[in-house]
Amino acid sequence: MTETSLAALVVDLDGTLTPTDTLVESVLQVCKRQSFAVFKLPIWLAKGRAVFKTRVAQASSLDVESLPYRTDLLEYLRAEKRKGRQLVLATAAHSDIADAVAKHLDLFDKVLGSDENHNLKGINKLEAIREAVGPNFVYAGDSKADLPIWQAAQAAILVNTSKSVAKTVRANTQIEQEFTSGVNQLRLWLRALRVHQWMKNLLIFVPLLTAFSFDDLDKLGTVVLGFFGFSLAASATYMGNDLWDLDSDRNHPRKKFRPFASAELPILKGLAAACGLLLTGLVLALAVSQAFLGMLLLYLFVTTTYTWLLKSYVLIDVMVLSLLYTLRIIAGSVAAAVATSSWLLAFSVFIFFSLALVKRCSELVALQQKGQETTHGRDYRAVDLVVLWPLGVSSALCAVVVFGLFITSAETQIRYLNPQLLWFVAIGLIYWLARLWIKTARGEMHDDPLVFAVRDFGSRITVLLMLFATLAAHFSHWE
């Protein structure tokens, strides 16, 4: 047994034991629970970081059981614990949070945390460690702020440290163990941006296509610019939504792996990125037109209201989601400066309401398969499927009926050379929508039906055939 293996093992919390920052998460939770608390934060901070952490801890109730923890580090700590080694949790986080984490993990012999009079960071933490365990200890940390502690320690455990910090520590301290994440940062950011969700914004091109004006390069270029403006702003809202929903996402079987819920990406960087994306999106929208900027601002208002308020109300959430899809089509009409028919708007409302219900039903089916009855953060129960199934299927059929009436309208008879071919599109819609609902019932549906449709071979073929039939109906004339 080596000399360092006998020394107490002192472990940092934020960025080390858990990849997240518990103070930042607590501040977010305070802002969610008390809308006017944002005005109190500067006042608390002016009294010092120790007082700030105390006030935030008192005003929040961080769910430490749902926090992401570094499993490889935990396994190492448990192995050392079995060897009889003393483990100490020493963190700059408030002692209330540190005690809750220690109780949850049932691993540490001592807990050191900040209080209203002491901010346990850097030199202050080092003094507290020496007082608790003496001069012989090994320290596990992650950041530049831990350098004084590593320098005084017998050995260091590096947890996902930067190259510069790791180089400094290796030059002065023996390394007992090192843990790295090895995660591709670019891939994480692309996931956080949800680039695959940009497919929804292709609806902006629908008015251009239905007006058969896609050969107008000026309009096409304007709509492309609007697409990217809308997409970047939408990504900003997705990131904001993920940050707002950290607690509920961590209790979701799939959403818990999202970059912010899993803490693979830091919250503060996410907030900065969201602000930058939002600003860029608004500038691009203004470059299209002031009217298009107004449509984007309306979209942002509705989606923000949905995130902060409406998503927790049964049925209202899916109605808002369907309207957001329709809003994209209207925005495309504004960008391309082409008229949008009432047929298209009515069709979009019904079909997107059905697709929004597919999303909710797929979540409830997954919940039912796990033997659970209620969702976390939404007012849905597994028994609601009795109502949601017929509501979603009937809405899908209503969309097909609207499309059938559109085929027989005078407007369609004038615009299409052979409008009867559009009945093949109606048949394709029936098949595709029914396929989505069958996949949902079987528990095979992705969280988002549009993402599923892109990945599903049968859906891709059906959509391509419907597109071909639409073009044939417009351009071909059979005597």
Side-chain angles (χ1 to χ4, degrees):
M1 185 175 289
T2 65
E3 183 180 353
T4 59
S5 66
L6 296 173
L9 178 49
V10 183
V11 185
D12 180 38
L13 177 60
D14 295 341
T16 304
L17 189 59
T18 174
T20 193
D21 187 318
T22 57
L23 177 60
V24 175
E25 294 214 12
S26 298
V27 170
L28 280 178
Q29 193 177 87
V30 170
C31 293
K32 286 178 65 176
R33 296 174 63 181
Q34 306 174 29
S35 56
F36 292 101
V38 66
F39 300 108
K40 298 179 182 178
L41 296 176
I43 300 174
W44 294 344
L45 187 57
K47 296 179 180 180
R49 292 187 65 86
V51 174
F52 179 77
K53 292 179 179 181
T54 301
R55 296 291 180 270
V56 170
Q58 291 172 345
S60 64
S61 56
L62 191 64
D63 183 9
V64 299
E65 294 185 10
S66 66
L67 285 179
Y69 294 96
R70 297 191 188 275
T71 54
D72 52 355
L73 177 59
L74 278 177
E75 289 174 2
Y76 180 78
L77 294 177
R78 291 192 176 102
E80 295 300 298
K81 179 74 172 180
R82 287 193 293 270
K83 295 176 183 178
R85 195 171 188 181
Q86 182 184 22
L87 300 183
V88 179
L89 179 63
T91 173
H94 193 267
S95 57
D96 288 350
I97 296 174
D99 290 338
V101 169
K103 182 179 179 180
H104 168 60
L105 296 177
D106 191 24
L107 189 62
F108 297 98
D109 302 295
K110 293 183 179 180
V111 180
L112 307 175
S114 298
D115 56 31
E116 191 165 356
N117 300 311
H118 302 90
N119 180 33
L120 226 61
K121 189 172 184 178
I123 297 298
N124 292 339
K125 183 189 287 189
L126 176 57
E127 292 176 356
I129 293 172
R130 284 172 169 166
E131 184 178 343
V133 300
N136 299 323
F137 64 90
V138 174
Y139 183 72
D142 69 291
S143 70
K144 185 178 180 180
D146 296 319
L147 287 176
I149 308 174
W150 274 318
Q151 190 171 7
Q154 284 186 295
I157 295 178
L158 304 180
V159 183
N160 203 32
T161 54
S162 66
K163 291 182 179 180
S164 59
V165 170
K167 182 179 179 181
T168 303
V169 177
R170 290 192 186 99
N172 298 285
T173 311
Q174 176 186 343
I175 304 300
E176 178 177 311
Q177 193 65 255
E178 188 168 357
F179 299 91
T180 57
S181 63
V183 180
N184 187 309
Q185 289 291 307
L186 177 60
R187 182 174 297 178
L188 284 176
W189 281 108
L190 290 176
R191 283 175 54 201
L193 291 173
R194 297 196 210 175
V195 176
H196 64 280
Q197 297 282 14
W198 288 14
M199 292 182 298
K200 298 177 182 178
N201 298 323
L202 291 174
L203 293 171
I204 291 176
F205 290 92
V206 168
L208 195 67
L209 296 176
T210 55
F212 293 95
S213 301
F214 42 81
D215 56 342
D216 188 327
L217 296 182
D218 288 338
K219 288 185 176 180
L220 180 60
T222 300
V223 175
V224 168
L225 192 63
F227 166 79
F228 282 106
F230 226 88
S231 297
L232 292 175
S235 288
T237 64
Y238 294 146
M239 294 174 73
N241 183 52
D242 286 351
L243 293 171
W244 194 257
D245 285 343
L246 283 177
D247 291 339
S248 58
D249 282 356
R250 285 170 180 164
N251 288 280
H252 191 278
R254 285 185 292 270
K255 294 180 181 180
K256 65 182 180 181
F257 298 112
R258 286 177 173 175
F260 295 113
S262 61
E264 292 175 298
L265 289 179
I267 294 173
L268 291 180
K269 286 186 178 180
L271 287 172
C275 292
L277 290 170
L278 179 59
L279 180 60
T280 304
L282 293 176
V283 170
L284 292 177
L286 181 59
V288 173
S289 69
Q290 291 184 353
F292 185 78
L293 175 62
M295 293 302 302
L296 179 54
L297 289 174
L298 177 60
Y299 168 84
L300 292 173
F301 171 77
V302 175
T303 193
T304 301
T305 306
Y306 167 81
T307 299
W308 287 359
L309 178 65
L310 301 178
K311 69 184 300 179
S312 59
Y313 292 94
V314 65
L315 288 182
I316 292 179
D317 65 328
V318 288
M319 293 176 67
V320 172
L321 285 177
S322 65
L323 291 176
L324 286 173
Y325 283 115
T326 305
L327 191 60
R328 290 177 172 93
I329 294 177
I330 299 174
S333 176
V334 171
V338 296
T340 302
S341 70
S342 56
W343 292 111
L344 177 59
L345 295 179
F347 172 79
S348 66
V349 168
F350 282 116
I351 193 168
F352 291 127
F353 183 62
S354 178
L355 293 179
L357 285 170
V358 164
K359 183 179 176 69
R360 288 293 168 264
C361 287
S362 67
E363 293 174 350
L364 291 177
V365 168
L367 196 73
Q368 209 172 42
Q369 290 174 342
K370 293 174 61 179
Q372 300 177 7
E373 291 298 321
T374 58
T375 56
H376 188 277
R378 298 183 188 275
D379 187 22
Y380 284 95
R381 304 173 185 176
V383 294
D384 296 337
L385 284 170
V386 177
V387 176
L388 298 180
W389 286 127
L391 188 61
V393 174
S394 60
S395 182
L397 293 178
C398 284
V400 176
V401 170
V402 169
F403 189 80
L405 294 174
F406 163 73
I407 295 174
T408 59
S409 69
E411 175 187 345
T412 306
Q413 299 298 318
I414 295 173
R415 180 172 295 179
Y416 291 82
L417 293 177
N418 196 354
Q420 299 306 314
L421 289 178
L422 292 175
W423 286 109
F424 288 105
V425 178
I427 295 172
L429 282 171
I430 294 173
Y431 169 76
W432 180 62
L433 292 169
R435 179 183 177 86
L436 291 182
W437 280 103
I438 289 174
K439 292 291 185 180
T440 302
R442 292 177 178 177
E444 300 173 6
M445 177 56 58
H446 188 278
D447 276 349
D448 193 306
L450 293 183
V451 174
F452 173 85
V454 171
R455 296 175 177 174
D456 177 53
F457 178 77
S459 295
R460 292 200 302 267
I461 294 298
T462 303
V463 172
L464 286 174
L465 289 175
M466 288 191 292
L467 180 60
F468 176 78
T470 302
L471 293 174
H474 179 74
F475 291 107
S476 65
H477 180 65
W478 297 348
E479 297 292 344

